[in-house]
Amino acid sequence: MDQGVIASFKANHLRSTFAQAIRATDKEGGPTLKDFWKGIKIYHAVKNIGEAWNKVNQSNLNGVWRKLCPEFVSDFQGFTHTVEEVTKNVAEMGKELNLDLVP
């Protein structure tokens, strides 16, 4: 698969998981971040993976197919977010969770 599709999937998954952690830990009497991570079940992980994959947009997939079968793809418009934008977004979410992120 094209690295852009993989990066998009990973970014979607990480953003979704961090957003869930922020929502859960921000609630009055909510769990700590450690308790949140301990509480994730396989069902939740699989559901998050499915949701992250569904957020990979058609233009990302067209980019892969353009390389394999260019005659079938004619509307590739590039990726909507740069790696730098996604990294910045994830880092900001990590700071909200008081994580010590290494760039």
Side-chain angles (χ1 to χ4, degrees), residues 16-26 31-33 36-37 97:
S16 175
T17 304
F18 275 16
Q20 290 173 3
I22 290 167
R23 281 193 305 273
T25 57
D26 278 351
T32 64
L33 183 58
F36 169 80
W37 289 120
L97 293 168

